[in-house]
Structure formats: C-alpha cells, structure tokens
Amino acid sequence: MKGFKNSSGYDASLQFVGGAKAAADTMRQNILNSVNTEDLYQISGNKYYISKDMPLSKIPENLLPGDAVLFERGGLWRIGWKEDTVIPEGVIFGAYGVGEKPKFYGSIYNYADRSLWEKCGDHLWKRLMLGGNAGIMVFDEKYALGVKKWSLDEMTQNYDFFYESDTEFLYLYYDGDIEDDFDSIEIGQRGNMIYMQSNTVLDNICIRYGGSHGVVSGRGTENVTITNCEIGYMGGSRQFDQVRFGNGIELQLGIKNVTVKNNWVYQCYDAGVTFQTWTSANLDTYYHGIDFCDNLIEFCYYGIEFFTTCFESNGLYSEYKNIHFKGNNIRFSGYTWCHEQRPDKWMASHIRGGQWAYVKETEDFEISDNIFDCCRECIIFWWWHDESKNFIHPEAHNGLTVKNNTYYQGKTDDNRCMTFHINTPIYAENGNELQKAIQHFDSKPEKIEWLLKTYN
C-alpha cells in the first residue's frame, strides 16, 4: 500500500487470534502449497495448458469428458461477471507450474487508475458500471473494504460507495487520490464466477472479488469435486431490497455426490460453503452424498449453511442423506464486513441450518472432528420453521450425529446466544454456561474452552 487517510480498520481482523490459530495457519499453508492438479487427479483425456500470457478465449470450445484445462501458476485472469465461466461436463480445471495459484478475479479492471473515474465533488468519484450491481470494493487486496450505502446522502466517509441502478453509476467517497494512494482497487459486480456441471473438478484455483457467488454447482448436478482452492472477498451485490448475495461455494437443488475438501474460504458476505434452495415450484428437495471436509473457513457470516424452502402443508419435503461435515476449521463467523454491513445481525453462526424446511428423511448426517473457533453470534443456529403453518417444530432431526468437535468461544459484545438448536436459545457468559450450551447440541465434544480474550 502507498499510504492512506482514514483507514477503514479492516486490518483489525488480522489481530484475531482465537483458540485455533496455529492449526489454522498450518491448514492455510498446506492449502496454498498444495500439489499440482496432474499430481492429484488422473487425467484420461487431452490436457490444455493456458499460460499466464494467454487469454481465456484460448480454452477450446469442444472440450470432452476426461479433458483437463490447466492454468499456469502466477497468472491472473479477470473473468468478470457478465456470464458464468462454465466447466463443461466431465472436465477438470486445475493448475500447473510453480508459484501462487492461478487467480480468477471478478473485477474487470484494477480501478486504482484515475483515468477510469470522474471527480464529481470534493470527496466523490464516479464511474459508469454497466449491467452489474457493484457489491464489494477491496482496496490494496485486503487493506480496506468498501461500505455499501443505499443512497448518495448516506455517503459520509472514506470507502463508502453507492451503486445507482437507474444510471448505473458507481459513486465512491474518498478524500485522497485513488491512483496515488492505492496499488489496486477491485470491484465485484453482481454475477457468479465459476459454474460447475456434473462430473467436474475444480482444483488449485484462487477466486476473488465477485459480487454474488464464487463457485456454483447448479440444480441436479452430480459428482462434483472442489479441492485446494482459495476463495475470498465474495458477495455484497443486491439481491432484493437490502438483501445481498455472497456465498463462497453454493450447491443448489438436487445435488448428489459432492466433495468440497481442503479449501480456504474467507471474507464472504454470506456463507463460506452452502447447499440450499429457494423454490416456489412444487418440487421436493434432496441432497445425497455431501462431504465438506478439511476446509478452513474464516470471517464469513455463516461457516457452513444448509436450508430449503419446502412447506409441510404443501406435502413437499427435504431429504438429507449421507451428509458429512468433518475436519473443518471454522473461525470468526460473523466478524468484519459480513456482520457490520448486514441489516440482520442476529443469525451469524459457524453452522446455520434448517430454515423453512420440512425435513422428512435424514440419514447419516454427521458433524464431527471440526474446530469451531469464536463466533460473533451463535456457534450453531438450526431451526425447523414451517412458515406455511406458522409453526416451529421443536424436535431434533433423526439420523443426526454430532461428536468429537472442539469449541473455542468468548463472551460476545452483546451477549448473544451460544447455541440455537431444537429451537431453544441458550446463552453463555462464562465457561460453565458454555459447556451447557454446547452439550445441548454436541453431547460428545472433544474439547470446550472459554477464552477470556479472543483477539489482541
């Protein structure tokens, strides 16, 4: 960075320590230094190498199942937001070479260039941003995060920004010079970044600065694998009213046989990893064979999320079978921008489940051997609320096993509940109360530790 006026204070997140910092540091380094895709996956078809000086248009259009597209480490491709970058059925996207993971950025330009902006007041800059609602601004890669406002009148301090849908102008409040003060400004606009079809692999890719979701596996896909990826600074674009997008990895309706393993997911406005559906169609929802394992998830509003919208009164139901959340390290859920910029600040959680879901079948759903390290609101927020009947089911789901998890937690600023499970909120202000709260959810924990201090 070149020097700033009035830092947004985002760098304060680097001061968080918690109880599992050493374990997280080790996981992060292992993920960042994971072996190349060819050393991990057997490639039966053609291999196409995209060097760092080649555009994405060099990817062949006639990819066949078994083929692999390998991107050179150290390369950067600005994939934008206008349409998803699709991994065709049966194809592998991965990395080759030496150095940092190949980077896919949702930001079309590096906007730390005054020629890309028009000065329109003492502290205001503006630029035309056609077609995609701007959701996130990141200054010098991680130093400062923009604060999305909903009118020009609300913009009062550095890093405030407003996207005016009618004119498609983006306004930024900054009282310095954006070229002199910054090496980079990245802007994520509304739109998903990577879209996966059935029988695909995504490995060893760094994905940043998207306004909606990082990686999406669409309805009805099967046999999807996501490994060794870095996914960060995701979301913030308007969905409706003041509700904003923002999942690192999203699996949609009717997913089967998905592995999400050994990824580092961080700074997502909503969930780090989620499977979910919002549907008004007369469809049952089902998820079979979902493994979220050995991932490091940090500073997301939810670490792992799952929910559906099937109403019991409609005779529809959700089906969860062979679901495993195992070996993940989920840290500081609900801290930094994902909490401060949300209108709903009461559901941040390491695991957020349920929603308006009539869950008829649950088999082999296991949450085990995870580390849950310091949440801003709730360690677990899991409810079953049939909105069509205005009824909250009090019973737990059959087929659920929770065991051998490690918990670190300290007192939150506003004394939020530590667990919300079987529709019972349980608060904790000391170690004894934390033990009781967690055992309401996890009767066989590996470790529970009350921290007197969670950050420096």
Side-chain angles (χ1 to χ4, degrees):
M1 61 186 179
K2 298 179 179 178
F4 296 85
K5 298 179 180 179
N6 302 326
S7 164
S8 68
Y10 165 69
D11 58 340
S13 68
L14 303 178
Q15 303 303 313
F16 282 76
V17 177
K21 183 179 186 302
D25 290 346
T26 299
M27 289 184 74
R28 192 182 303 107
Q29 287 305 309
N30 288 340
I31 294 166
L32 292 176
N33 296 302
S34 52
V35 300
N36 282 331
T37 304
E38 290 175 279
D39 297 324
L40 187 62
Y41 291 97
Q42 183 175 357
I43 299 171
S44 60
N46 294 316
K47 301 175 185 178
Y48 299 95
Y49 297 91
I50 307 299
S51 67
K52 64 181 68 175
D53 59 350
M54 294 170 61
L56 292 180
S57 60
K58 293 297 183 179
I59 299 175
E61 295 183 358
N62 59 341
L63 293 170
L64 299 174
D67 289 347
V69 181
L70 304 174
F71 300 88
E72 186 177 6
R73 289 178 178 269
L76 168 60
W77 290 269
R78 295 185 177 275
I79 66 176
W81 53 271
K82 292 183 181 180
E83 58 185 29
D84 302 324
T85 296
V86 177
I87 304 180
E89 184 166 351
V91 170
I92 296 173
F93 271 25
Y96 79 96
V98 178
E100 294 184 339
K101 296 181 189 297
K103 297 180 175 67
F104 286 4
Y105 284 4
S107 183
I108 299 174
Y109 304 107
N110 176 354
Y111 290 92
D113 179 347
R114 70 176 68 90
S115 69
L116 298 175
W117 297 83
E118 176 185 347
K119 199 74 182 294
C120 57
D122 290 340
H123 308 298
L124 285 181
W125 305 73
K126 74 174 183 179
R127 111 154 241 117
L128 191 63
M129 303 285 288
L130 294 175
N133 182 286
I136 185 172
M137 296 187 69
V138 184
F139 300 80
D140 277 358
E141 294 193 342
K142 64 181 181 179
Y143 180 80
L145 277 168
V147 179
K148 187 176 178 68
K149 300 296 184 179
W150 302 96
S151 71
L152 278 170
D153 293 339
E154 295 179 60
M155 297 178 62
T156 60
Q157 57 187 350
N158 285 346
Y159 309 111
D160 287 353
F161 70 94
F162 166 61
Y163 181 82
E164 190 172 53
S165 298
D166 291 342
T167 64
E168 297 188 288
F169 271 104
L170 174 68
Y171 292 87
L172 170 66
Y173 189 110
Y174 186 69
D175 64 8
D177 184 276
I178 57 177
E179 185 170 316
D180 289 342
D181 291 353
F182 302 106
D183 292 315
S184 70
I185 301 175
E186 308 291 352
I187 302 174
Q189 294 176 258
R190 175 170 170 162
N192 302 322
M193 292 185 62
I194 304 292
Y195 190 90
M196 301 185 70
Q197 298 188 6
S198 292
N199 306 304
T200 54
V201 173
L202 178 68
D203 177 67
N204 260 306
I205 303 295
C206 171
I207 302 166
R208 296 182 187 166
Y209 314 123
S212 294
H213 310 311
V215 182
V216 174
S217 185
R219 293 189 175 196
T221 51
E222 301 182 11
N223 304 318
V224 169
T225 301
I226 303 167
T227 52
N228 305 310
C229 289
E230 175 190 342
I231 302 172
Y233 307 105
M234 201 60 56
S237 290
R238 180 179 179 270
Q239 184 176 4
F240 59 88
D241 299 328
Q242 292 188 14
V243 176
R244 299 163 70 180
F245 289 109
N247 300 320
I249 298 172
E250 177 174 300
L251 312 177
Q252 297 180 346
L253 171 64
I255 298 292
K256 291 184 178 180
N257 302 325
V258 174
T259 297
V260 177
K261 184 175 182 178
N262 207 48
N263 302 285
W264 177 32
V265 185
Y266 57 95
Q267 294 293 348
C268 297
Y269 181 79
D270 208 59
V273 182
T274 181
F275 60 90
Q276 61 175 269
T277 180
W278 290 85
T279 177
S280 58
N282 290 322
L283 297 172
D284 294 328
T285 60
Y286 56 88
Y287 301 92
H288 296 175
I290 309 294
D291 285 340
F292 295 161
C293 300
D294 303 324
N295 302 289
L296 175 62
I297 304 173
E298 302 180 291
F299 296 103
C300 301
Y301 192 69
Y302 309 118
I304 294 175
E305 174 192 40
F306 61 95
F307 68 83
T308 57
T309 51
C310 290
F311 297 148
E312 188 175 357
S313 60
N314 293 340
L316 302 175
Y317 68 92
S318 298
E319 190 174 87
Y320 300 150
K321 294 184 178 182
N322 305 317
I323 311 294
H324 302 131
F325 304 161
K326 186 173 182 179
N328 303 288
N329 191 341
I330 306 177
R331 311 178 71 231
F332 303 116
S333 299
Y335 283 94
T336 68
W337 76 297
C338 67
H339 183 272
E340 297 307 321
Q341 296 191 36
R342 288 182 78 100
D344 55 336
K345 293 182 170 67
W346 59 284
M347 288 192 296
S349 47
H350 291 315
I351 292 184
R352 186 257 205 268
Q355 192 72 13
W356 305 293
Y358 174 34
V359 182
K360 185 177 180 181
E361 299 288 345
T362 303
E363 295 179 5
D364 186 25
F365 194 144
E366 183 173 317
I367 301 172
S368 64
D369 303 302
N370 303 283
I371 297 174
F372 299 118
D373 192 3
C374 297
C375 186
R376 178 66 177 77
E377 306 291 349
C378 303
I379 292 170
I380 176 74
F381 189 98
W382 186 334
W383 68 352
W384 174 8
H385 177 196
D386 188 349
E387 192 176 59
S388 65
K389 288 186 173 182
N390 194 27
F391 181 74
I392 297 177
H393 285 269
E395 63 266 28
H397 298 308
N398 295 324
L400 174 67
T401 300
V402 183
K403 64 180 182 179
N404 301 335
N405 299 290
T406 295
Y407 302 84
Y408 299 100
Q409 184 65 46
K411 188 174 181 180
T412 60
D413 295 338
D414 53 1
N415 298 323
R416 290 294 300 169
C417 61
M418 295 296 101
T419 60
F420 187 104
H421 181 53
I422 318 181
N423 300 297
T424 302
I426 300 181
Y427 297 77
E429 296 189 34
N430 55 55
N432 290 333
E433 293 178 358
L434 179 65
Q435 295 271 346
K436 295 177 182 178
I438 289 173
Q439 288 177 355
H440 184 67
F441 168 65
D442 184 348
S443 62
K444 298 178 180 179
E446 178 69 22
K447 179 181 180 181
I448 301 173
E449 183 173 340
W450 180 260
L451 301 177
L452 298 179
K453 189 176 181 180
T454 58
Y455 49 86
N456 290 334

